[in-house]
Amino acid sequence: MRPVVALAVLAAAGCSLSHDTTLYYAHFSVGADAGLSEDLPSGFHCDKDNGQTGCPLIFIDGGQCPANPLRDNPTVSFNVVVDFLTNVPPGLPDTYELFALYCDTDAGLCPLAPGTRRCFPVTLPDAGLLYQASDIAPAVTAALQAVDGGIVSVDAPTGNVVARAIATQEACPPESQTTFDLNQLIGCAHSAPVILQDVDTVELKLNTNSPANYGECSLAYCANASGCVFTAPPDGG
Amino acid sequence: MVGLLIASSALAESGKPGVTVIVRGEPMAAARFQDSLRLAEMPIEFRFVDIPNVPSPPPERDDLEAAVAAARQDYGEANLRPCVARLAAEDLVTAALRNGQREGAARVLFWRAACRVGLGDSSVARGEARRLGTLELQVPPDVGRTTPEVERVVTDELKAAQRLPRVSLRVTSSVAGATVALDGRPKVCVTPCAVEVLPGEHVVRLEADGMVPEVRTLRVDPNEPAELAAALTPAAPELASAQWTAKYAASADIDSAASVRLLARAVRAKRLVFITAETSNVDARLRGVFADDQEIRGYAERYAVTREFDAAVRGLVEDLLVKGSVLQPPAPLYARPLFWTVVAAVAAAAVVGTYFAVSPPPVHTQVHF
């Protein structure tokens, strides 16, 4: 039986694989026409389904977008709370552009993967200078990576999950707290349903589902009180 | 590789089973066979023995012929009493019949009758002539050298003997299959058997391979079936060698079961391997038979080119000894530990492979900004 044991040991030793997945903020995809480089991290922003780049969800710059009250603060501190939502509804398209996720917590959808919430305390000096989304993303990314190497999880949950990052000025909430104070939210983004073991990169952003409806780019719509991305089917859904 | 089957009762001094080997063939071939077998280093104590060549003793004819010749001369010279005296010994006839000399026996009886007729002893003469008839012997050509009276006496008694009803003589022996010679006629039947004989005295000789020939003289009464039961005794190796030489050495049946059984007795071999080697410059054909306790256990044959002679010798002898249960056969594939080790390893590999094919190994994913 010794060969069998040896094979089992070898198999056991060789069967555990490691994988690395990077979360990053959505890239601009509008190309040179928008005056921005392709694949430039854009940070928390809201894409509109008409193809236009939406408003940044942190430190928005007025104009068509709502003004952010933190806009003129020289230094901003907040927490980025990262969760993995599991048991996402079946039948979802796996392309982000068509992604329209809603969760029904009463039906047991979208519970947080237990033990995976990770909080990143972030301080951005000179935040008042960060007007453009292209400025915000690198600053936030650097701040996140400064916290324990930016590691969210060393053994991410398997299966289809949605990765969600919420920027809040609340103290880092425990997992049992699934509601967020809307007055203290300053940003929100999430991924499409994804199997983290199968991909190397995951985009976090926020899409609209109704044309020209900035309301769906609202933080409340992203980080609702139930802890899910959406709490009700979108209009017409 | 073959293993040993321990049979302590047949172990040689070395502790190995002893086997006698006889090789028949050209002397060079026999010598090479022995060398090859020694090189094989098998777990057997081989004893190499030459093939027996013991001629049988010649039949005792001189005394009989001399006595008959002298008696005939006495009769011609009318010395009838010396004539009777020369042939008076009773075992002259028995010995002649025992040795298959029916003509000699006939001449003894005829001249006894002739001399008795010459002496006027008619009743004794008729008795001798009657015995000539009951033994169904041919009247010898010498009858032309006697008187018409002698010829008449002999002819009458022969006819009288032929008129007697035949009687069944049943012959059995302690060893079945013994050949029966009756009154000098060879192989009239094989025991157990019955022959029809004329009433009177008869000489029965029984012969069997490896047994001492048994000769019996018995009187068969008219109208009364007779029976002869002979207990044969085993022959000494010297006699067995002579029997084998006479019967099988030049026979096509040399490697028959009967031949090998007798050969084993002749060379005092409990276990005997008898090889016939036919060799040429380029190849060799080897035939072998193995006997244990004079029972044939198996035959085997090999054909080999010259350079493979050693392997052929080893293979042939191993084959024979396995058939004789002296060696254990090579373990079948499924009985070897290595086989099951390989099977287990392959099965384990298949299970592991299937497991990972069906359910991929767990992936520990690190997620970071």
Side-chain angles (χ1 to χ4, degrees):
Chain A
M1 296 304 290
R2 279 177 294 181
V4 179
V5 173
L7 275 176
V9 170
L10 286 175
C15 67
S16 180
L17 304 178
S18 61
H19 181 66
D20 205 61
T21 300
T22 302
L23 301 178
Y24 64 91
Y25 304 120
H27 294 175
F28 279 105
S29 57
V30 293
D33 291 344
L36 297 170
S37 298
E38 290 184 86
D39 297 326
L40 182 65
S42 63
F44 291 83
H45 74 278
C46 184
D47 282 346
K48 294 185 291 187
D49 59 3
N50 60 3
Q52 296 178 348
T53 300
C55 301
L57 297 177
I58 299 177
F59 311 129
I60 53 179
D61 190 22
Q64 293 183 321
C65 298
N68 189 306
L70 301 178
R71 158 108 172 42
D72 295 327
N73 288 356
T75 298
V76 176
S77 293
F78 56 91
N79 285 307
V80 174
V81 183
V82 183
D83 288 313
F84 294 104
L85 282 62
T86 63
N87 197 22
V88 296
L92 291 171
D94 58 1
T95 55
Y96 195 93
E97 287 71 17
L98 299 175
F99 171 53
L101 176 64
Y102 71 94
C103 288
D104 181 357
T105 53
D106 292 338
L109 300 181
C110 304
L112 301 184
T116 60
R117 171 169 285 184
R118 180 81 163 90
C119 286
F120 294 84
V122 173
T123 297
L124 295 178
D126 301 324
L129 302 177
L130 301 174
Y131 296 132
Q132 300 295 329
S134 57
D135 296 329
I136 296 171
V140 173
T141 298
L144 292 172
Q145 291 176 339
V147 181
D148 297 334
I151 294 175
V152 178
S153 172
V154 294
D155 191 8
T158 57
N160 269 312
V161 299
V162 168
R164 184 187 65 182
I166 295 174
T168 177
Q169 289 191 299
E170 288 185 80
C172 183
E175 276 185 3
S176 58
Q177 178 186 329
T178 58
T179 59
F180 291 88
D181 182 355
L182 293 177
N183 294 324
Q184 298 193 69
L185 288 179
I186 60 171
C188 182
H190 62 83
S191 71
V194 64
I195 297 175
L196 295 171
Q197 286 72 27
D198 292 346
V199 297
D200 296 331
T201 57
V202 175
E203 286 184 326
L204 303 179
K205 57 184 179 181
L206 181 61
N207 277 8
T208 63
N209 193 54
S210 297
N213 185 348
Y214 288 128
E216 292 186 354
C217 274
S218 70
L219 299 177
Y221 207 34
C222 174
N224 60 77
S226 71
C228 291
V229 178
F230 297 112
T231 56
D235 293 342
Chain B
M1 184 58 67
V2 293
L4 272 176
L5 182 70
I6 300 302
S8 58
S9 60
L11 295 181
E13 290 180 0
S14 63
K16 301 175 182 177
V19 173
T20 300
V21 179
I22 297 177
V23 182
R24 169 176 166 262
E26 294 295 326
M28 289 289 290
R32 186 175 176 193
F33 188 98
Q34 294 183 14
D35 291 342
S36 297
L37 202 51
R38 289 191 185 97
L39 289 173
E41 295 182 345
M42 296 171 64
I44 300 293
E45 185 75 29
F46 290 112
R47 178 175 71 106
F48 297 99
V49 175
D50 291 335
I51 196 165
N53 184 19
V54 178
S56 300
E60 304 165 358
R61 296 180 60 91
D62 294 346
D63 292 348
L64 179 69
E65 292 297 328
V68 169
R72 191 173 63 177
Q73 185 173 349
D74 287 340
Y75 180 85
E77 295 171 355
N79 296 323
L80 298 177
R81 292 200 181 280
C83 171
V84 169
R86 290 184 191 280
L87 302 176
E90 177 54 33
D91 65 349
L92 272 181
V93 174
T94 302
L97 294 175
R98 183 177 62 219
N99 295 326
Q101 298 173 274
R102 284 174 60 81
E103 184 182 342
R107 295 180 71 191
V108 170
L109 290 172
F110 175 80
W111 284 111
R112 280 182 182 170
C115 293
R116 288 293 183 179
V117 169
L119 288 172
D121 195 351
S122 178
S123 63
V124 176
R126 287 185 178 278
E128 299 292 352
R130 174 64 66 92
R131 194 174 178 199
L132 199 64
T134 57
L135 293 172
E136 300 182 76
L137 299 174
Q138 294 287 326
V139 176
D142 297 350
V143 69
R145 303 185 61 166
T146 58
T147 63
E149 186 181 1
V150 171
E151 185 174 352
R152 187 179 66 253
V153 167
V154 169
T155 302
D156 288 348
E157 291 304 320
L158 286 179
K159 288 180 179 177
Q162 292 298 321
R163 285 196 293 269
L164 294 172
R166 291 181 176 272
V167 177
S168 175
L169 169 60
R170 178 172 176 76
V171 184
T172 60
S173 60
S174 56
V175 176
T179 58
V180 176
L182 177 66
D183 299 330
R185 286 181 299 197
K187 298 180 181 175
V188 295
C189 69
V190 176
T191 60
C193 58
V195 291
E196 298 291 320
V197 298
L198 293 172
E201 194 174 82
H202 294 279
V203 175
V204 177
R205 177 186 172 102
L206 294 98
E207 290 181 329
D209 285 349
M211 309 302 287
V212 176
E214 180 78 8
V215 178
R216 296 284 188 88
T217 301
L218 76 162
R219 171 165 293 281
V220 176
D221 296 327
N223 303 316
E224 189 174 337
E227 183 160 352
L228 171 63
L232 303 181
T233 56
E238 292 73 16
L239 176 57
S241 294
Q243 289 177 342
W244 187 86
T245 303
K247 190 173 181 179
Y248 296 110
S251 166
D253 297 331
I254 191 168
D255 51 4
S256 65
S259 169
V260 175
R261 276 197 295 268
L262 183 56
L263 189 57
R265 177 178 292 278
V267 298
R268 299 180 177 88
K270 179 183 183 301
R271 293 169 175 151
L272 175 65
V273 169
F274 179 53
I275 301 293
T276 299
E278 299 170 358
T279 58
S280 70
N281 290 334
V282 294
D283 59 11
R285 182 178 295 279
L286 307 172
R287 297 196 315 273
V289 55
F290 176 71
D292 192 351
D293 278 336
Q294 299 180 39
E295 291 297 325
I296 302 300
R297 296 301 181 88
Y299 290 86
E301 188 167 354
R302 288 287 190 285
Y303 170 80
V305 294
T306 301
R307 65 177 179 278
E308 296 172 350
F309 187 82
D310 290 345
V313 168
R314 182 187 180 104
L316 176 70
V317 174
E318 279 186 352
D319 195 1
L320 290 171
L321 297 181
V322 166
K323 288 178 177 176
S325 300
V326 179
L327 298 178
Q328 290 180 337
L333 188 59
Y334 63 83
R336 300 181 187 182
L338 179 60
F339 173 79
W340 289 110
T341 302
V342 172
V343 168
V346 171
V351 168
V352 171
T354 303
Y355 172 78
F356 286 116
V358 173
S359 57
V363 178
H364 297 285
T365 301
Q366 175 174 284
V367 180
H368 58 85
F369 286 104

